[in-house]
Amino acid sequence: MPNRTAVHPELYSPDLADNPSLNGGKCRACGYVFFPPQRYGCESCGAPPEKLEAVQLAGRGTLHSYATVHLYMGKDIEAPFTIGLIVLDDGPAISSTLTNRTDEGLAIGDRMKSVLVAASTDQEGNETVELRFAKAGAGK
Ligand SMILES: [Zn+2]
């Protein structure tokens, strides 16, 4: 049976294609919420690593800014593609590739949600998925 593998399994769950939660963290000393997860201590108040706990972030937020890349020399994604800065409802801001290839139809303040998209599929049908953000439907 084909498998789904996440490109960065430490960051999100590969099991939830529609709106996966993100693996973030929270400081028990000051309440600071962060993403991606890290174990070096609180970036906000300097509390030691043992004060940090793993939390699941909802994978929903608001589009803060975006830019379309028209020239890209890498082989992992084909230009044009659009990068967005999304301020998650849980607090942290995340920079992510968007499912929109261009900025058509995007606006600052749009509601966004996390999705997993197929990055590649091998001959047995095993999928590699990676995180993107997509415009959330109205009222979500
Ligand atoms: Zn802290």
Side-chain angles (χ1 to χ4, degrees):
M1 194 178 150
N3 289 310
R4 306 184 87 205
T5 309
V7 176
H8 296 288
E10 73 281 11
L11 298 182
Y12 45 81
S13 165
D15 302 324
L16 305 163
D18 185 46
N19 195 214
S21 60
L22 309 178
N23 301 328
K26 184 175 183 177
C27 174
R28 285 197 303 269
C30 74
Y32 178 69
V33 177
F34 54 90
F35 178 88
Q38 55 89 4
R39 294 177 185 83
Y40 304 107
C42 180
E43 302 161 30
S44 179
C45 75
E50 54 271 22
K51 292 288 186 188
L52 304 180
E53 63 183 355
V55 293
Q56 293 292 302
L57 307 179
R60 291 188 178 276
T62 303
L63 188 60
H64 181 79
S65 62
Y66 54 89
T68 301
V69 177
H70 292 278
L71 276 177
Y72 181 65
M73 303 307 280
K75 303 260 188 256
D76 51 320
I77 187 168
E78 193 180 323
F81 58 91
T82 300
I83 303 286
L85 183 70
I86 295 105
V87 179
L88 298 177
D89 293 346
D90 294 302
I94 174 174
S95 178
S96 170
T97 307
L98 307 182
T99 56
N100 299 55
R101 290 189 74 80
T102 70
D103 59 11
E104 192 179 331
L106 290 175
I108 304 295
D110 278 348
R111 293 292 297 158
M112 307 296 287
K113 70 171 187 175
S114 59
V115 293
L116 292 175
V117 299
S120 63
T121 307
D122 71 14
Q123 290 173 335
E124 282 87 49
N126 298 308
E127 239 177 22
T128 302
V129 294
E130 64 182 23
L131 188 75
R132 299 272 169 89
F133 271 77
K135 262 179 97 155
K140 288 183 182 172

